[in-house]
Amino acid sequence: MKVAVLISGRGSNLRSLLEAAAEPGYPAEIVCVIANRPDAGGLDHAAAFGIASQVVDHKSYADRAAFEAALTEALDGAGIDLICLAGFMRVLSGAFVRRWKNRIVNIHPSLLPLFPGLDTHARALAAGVKLHGCSVHFVNETVDGGAIIGQAAVAVQTGDDAESLAARVLEAEHRLYPLCLRLLAEDRVRLDDGQARIEGTPEAGSALFSPDLSA
Ligand code: GRF
């Protein structure tokens, strides 16, 4: 499976995907990285792994349609099967999403459908949830609303602030995204009535308790 990764910033999730894809036998190949900002730190990760990258700067285009046309041209040129959004901070139009129907996935730093949108860690703390985490999901026309492929839960700890919580969720993201991409590339993800079903994987082990059962 040929994959494009779209980024806007530091690209630590991109790096985790590049590392996974460099492992022998990993079924997906990252063929291009596209950033919508010329200063995206993640471009350095692409260079370090010898992967072609391009900047499609949204500021250089009159409107979203023109930006997305340039994006589509870059993606078509790369001959890709799947788009992975990894900290890509532009909302994609319905037309773009339909053009790549069920071929765009994203990683989001919350246990969806809780906390779609921005500032997820601060919002999780404000809500007092005991478990937080991250989700990999298909992209549809609702922001952070597509079928969930996989999730990782992280316990909120006493004294957490948004930064410390974000750091632990990010570690989980770096494990979850390569796993989900592998399942997609192995054709083990089935969309059925708006839900993603995973074939041939062990069910997750036990429940994660917070507070811990030893309390
Ligand atoms: C991650 O937390 C991701 O879940 C969110 O944006 C952040 C991107 O981080 N969509 P990075 O650029 O991958 O380091």
Side-chain angles (χ1 to χ4, degrees), residues 34-190:
I34 300 176
N36 70 305
R37 297 175 54 111
D39 60 351
L43 290 167
D44 294 342
H45 298 311
F49 280 79
I51 307 296
S53 65
Q54 285 184 61
V55 175
V56 180
D57 186 348
H58 62 280
K59 290 190 182 140
S60 308
Y61 299 91
D63 54 24
R64 187 164 67 169
F67 166 64
E68 289 184 350
L71 213 49
T72 298
E73 196 181 320
L75 292 163
D76 281 343
I80 54 130
D81 305 302
L82 185 81
I83 299 170
C84 287
L85 307 182
F88 184 68
M89 300 303 286
R90 308 301 297 175
V91 171
L92 296 165
S93 70
F96 187 93
V97 170
R98 285 192 294 276
R99 164 83 172 66
W100 298 94
K101 191 170 164 44
N102 299 334
R103 291 191 296 152
I104 312 175
V105 297
N106 180 44
I107 186 155
H108 180 75
S110 79
L111 291 174
L112 291 170
L114 284 175
F115 314 124
L118 299 175
D119 298 323
T120 57
H121 309 300
R123 287 160 61 207
L125 289 170
V129 296
K130 303 298 183 206
L131 294 173
H132 182 44
C134 52
S135 308
V136 172
H137 64 93
F138 284 103
V139 172
N140 66 8
E141 294 180 43
T142 305
V143 173
D144 301 324
I148 294 164
I149 300 165
Q151 295 186 304
V154 168
V156 177
Q157 292 175 0
T158 312
D160 260 337
D161 58 16
E163 205 176 315
S164 62
L165 186 54
R168 288 204 312 290
V169 171
L170 193 63
E171 280 177 32
E173 292 183 38
H174 294 162
R175 297 166 66 191
L176 182 68
Y177 214 172
L179 165 65
C180 291
L181 177 57
R182 181 165 61 76
L183 296 173
L184 286 158
E186 289 173 348
D187 199 21
R188 288 158 74 183
V189 182
R190 292 274 162 276

